[in-house]
Amino acid sequence: MLNRPLLLIAALLLILLLVWFQRPAPVTEVARTALIMGTLVEIKGVGQDQKHINRAISNAFTAMRKEEERFSPQIESSRLSLLNRTTAAVMVDPQMLELLQLGQEISRQSQGAFNLGLGRLKALWNFEAEDPRVPTTAAIKAILPDPDHELVHIAGNRVTRSSGVQLDLGGIAKGYAVDQALKVLRTAGITSASVNAGGDIGLLGGHGERPWKIGIQHPRRPGEVLATLELRNQTIVTSGDYERFFIQKGVRYHHLFDPQTGLPARGCQSVSVIAPNAAEADALATAAFVLGPQKGLELLEQRPQVEGLILAADGTASVTSGLKGRIQWR
Amino acid sequence: MALKALWVRTTRTDRYLILLLVLVAFTSLFLSFGRTAGKQLVIYADEKIVFTGPLTRDRLLELQGPLGETQVEISAGQVRVVSSPCPRKICIGMGSVWRSGDLLACVPNRVVVRIEGEGKKGYDLLSR
């Protein structure tokens, strides 16, 4: 005869087994890094199929390397180098066209605060040098692009560069590469991922079920965050005076130049922009930084689906209307 | 009392089964503790893993890159670049990292340091 407690235990065991087999496959996060466009790129994918995520991440890195080959001024064979070598009309690919058009649009809207023609100025300041120095005022003035003159003329898929101007897409191309990586991940069916190219961040979905929690670097306290906020399916880019800089006679000289003066812009410590795509966020962050807190905020408010946080030179923080109440200050 | 009455009615097989269940429960508990083991350091040179190890053991690592040797120090649970052949020494200026997910990189010499494992830092990604 069967014992009742034995039946009870057997039933419990059966339930345990059923629960075990009914469990969904564990959700894992795959994180990989690569060095692309002179910066550290980290892509994270969250999901159940590790192999599939790994393959998608490899393809996303490949897409970013293609953008590096297209837009890098250091690569002789890049489309950008080709454009910078000739003043004749050059046939460009759709990607270059898209990026130049977006750059021109943001340049117009920011009254030239965002400028694609600062290649010579950046070379003059040479922040990559072992011992960077402040150039003379005369040297700066000699190479500043004329604000009333068109930098590039676009006619169909043909682009003509103005003589005396060297194009530099440093303020927009990294964001564009992040967008291309996100596109590859989305096409592969990944629904939860992040692409972080040296702080230019693109997000697919949330981090699993919850939103991604983004920290914004404190510009004056290394290792500390200024604020955090939660985002899904958006991009965020921060431009700050603390990433590339040197100090000469007690003055901080950074790499975000005001195209009108050729000197580092002085209105802000950092600007973070949230936008539907990273190329736009990248260019707007630079533009708002150059414009300063008040005009910068006005620019961000004008753009649809764009939000931002500006930390002024005196440490005062301001945010766009849509971001109020969404930020946790640290 | 009800439990005692139930225990009296159990057979030897029942008791073996109860013991088995308890063992299974403890084993799974032990395994789950194993998964949350301490943080570890992963170092990539030219995008290939060249070192993995715990943060708890102090040591100095010498890593070869295209420009020369980058020295990474593990000390008191923190990691930092102490010497680098790159021109601007930005990697040295980045200071120490210790939180899970933190990254340290010398881009010119293609050396990347990543902290992996459990740990809370209040955010998933840092925009800078």
Side-chain angles (χ1 to χ4, degrees):
Chain A
M1 203 176 92
L2 280 171
N3 195 309
R4 267 202 297 173
L6 178 63
L7 268 177
L8 193 72
I9 290 162
L12 270 173
L13 258 178
L14 191 68
I15 290 165
L16 261 177
L17 276 172
L18 282 173
V19 168
W20 181 262
F21 285 112
Q22 284 297 309
R23 271 183 345 139
V27 172
T28 54
E29 181 181 282
V30 180
R32 282 170 54 193
T33 54
L35 298 166
I36 303 168
M37 290 182 150
T39 195
L40 179 64
V41 181
E42 182 184 47
I43 300 184
K44 286 181 183 176
V46 182
Q48 293 170 350
D49 187 345
Q50 267 201 33
K51 265 190 186 169
H52 178 64
I53 297 171
N54 257 309
R55 217 176 305 128
I57 292 176
S58 296
N59 292 338
F61 280 141
T62 305
M64 293 185 83
R65 286 200 175 93
K66 273 189 190 160
E67 300 313 327
E68 180 179 27
E69 282 161 20
R70 185 175 282 123
F71 299 125
S72 171
Q74 275 87 41
I75 298 174
E76 281 281 302
S77 56
S78 75
R79 282 271 130 189
L80 180 69
S81 296
L82 181 67
L83 256 175
N84 275 335
R85 274 198 300 270
T86 177
T87 49
V90 173
M91 204 174 351
V92 297
D93 50 28
Q95 290 85 352
M96 176 65 89
L97 203 60
E98 189 184 356
L99 200 67
L100 289 175
Q101 282 168 339
L102 177 66
Q104 278 191 324
E105 180 194 327
I106 293 174
S107 178
R108 270 193 297 273
Q109 203 172 5
S110 65
Q111 277 90 48
F114 180 73
N115 192 307
L116 293 171
L118 301 183
R120 294 178 72 192
L121 186 70
K122 287 185 181 175
L124 179 69
W125 280 85
N126 194 9
F127 271 76
E128 306 308 321
E130 206 161 326
D131 187 20
R133 303 235 155 234
V134 181
T136 62
T137 312
I140 292 172
K141 274 193 176 160
I143 56 163
L144 271 185
D146 180 354
D148 301 322
H149 204 78
E150 198 177 33
L151 299 171
V152 283
H153 177 70
I154 302 174
N157 61 352
R158 288 183 171 272
V159 174
T160 314
R161 176 181 59 86
S162 269
S163 60
V165 165
Q166 286 286 292
L167 297 175
D168 182 278
L169 306 177
I172 191 168
K174 203 164 66 171
Y176 188 81
V178 169
D179 290 332
Q180 300 315 303
L182 285 178
K183 209 179 272 181
V184 168
L185 294 168
R186 198 181 294 120
T187 307
I190 307 289
T191 53
S192 173
S194 67
V195 179
N196 184 356
D200 287 20
I201 296 172
L203 305 168
L204 265 190
H207 186 275
E209 296 297 311
R210 65 173 175 83
W212 290 93
K213 203 162 190 182
I214 309 297
I216 294 172
Q217 169 79 50
H218 196 296
R220 294 291 178 267
R221 295 184 209 143
E224 286 186 34
V225 294
L226 173 71
T228 57
L229 73 161
E230 294 184 340
L231 296 174
R232 280 178 196 269
N233 279 321
Q234 275 167 310
T235 69
I236 176 166
V237 175
T238 298
S239 283
D241 65 1
Y242 52 91
E243 277 287 286
R244 285 184 200 170
F245 71 94
F246 63 88
I247 291 174
Q248 192 175 310
K249 292 180 185 167
V251 180
R252 177 190 289 251
Y253 294 94
H254 59 82
H255 72 298
L256 297 164
F257 301 110
D258 182 340
Q260 284 189 352
T261 62
L263 298 169
R266 293 296 179 200
C268 305
Q269 289 182 18
S270 80
V271 174
S272 299
V273 175
I274 298 151
N277 65 73
E280 185 184 4
D282 202 358
L284 285 172
T286 306
F289 189 99
V290 171
L291 286 171
Q294 199 184 333
K295 285 186 177 172
L297 211 62
E298 283 168 20
L299 170 72
L300 300 182
E301 292 281 14
Q302 282 170 28
R303 304 280 301 185
Q305 293 178 279
V306 167
E307 302 296 341
L309 181 163
I310 299 182
L311 195 69
D314 64 2
T316 314
S318 49
V319 296
T320 50
S321 49
L323 215 55
K324 281 178 184 150
R326 284 176 57 195
I327 289 191
Q328 287 84 50
W329 300 99
R330 294 300 179 99
Chain B
M1 291 303 113
L3 209 65
K4 196 177 176 184
L6 207 64
W7 184 254
V8 172
R9 289 184 59 197
T10 53
T11 63
R12 183 180 290 182
T13 321
D14 293 338
R15 288 169 191 173
Y16 281 140
L17 267 171
I18 290 165
L19 186 70
L20 185 74
L21 272 175
V22 170
L23 276 174
V24 166
F26 272 99
T27 310
S28 64
L29 200 68
F30 176 76
L31 285 176
S32 71
F33 276 133
R35 274 200 296 273
T36 56
K39 284 181 274 187
Q40 69 162 4
L41 169 72
V42 182
I43 300 181
Y44 302 79
D46 212 11
E47 298 184 7
K48 289 184 184 70
I49 294 176
V50 291
F51 175 83
T52 52
L55 246 73
T56 45
R57 195 174 147 201
D58 291 0
R59 63 169 93 191
L60 186 71
L61 299 157
E62 290 156 359
L63 306 145
Q64 283 302 321
L67 301 182
E69 189 180 273
T70 297
Q71 290 190 335
V72 174
E73 182 193 70
I74 310 172
S75 176
Q78 301 196 358
V79 187
R80 67 189 179 114
V81 176
V82 288
S83 136
S84 171
C86 60
R88 303 273 342 263
K89 318 285 182 209
I90 290 171
C91 49
I92 297 174
M94 288 171 87
S96 299
V97 292
W98 64 93
R99 289 166 297 202
S100 181
D102 277 352
L103 291 163
L104 202 58
C106 177
V107 177
N109 208 27
R110 304 186 70 76
V111 172
V112 177
V113 175
R114 172 210 283 281
I115 311 289
E116 289 186 347
E118 300 293 317
K120 286 207 181 294
K121 57 181 176 181
Y123 55 86
D124 302 309
L125 299 157
L126 185 66
S127 182
R128 58 184 183 197

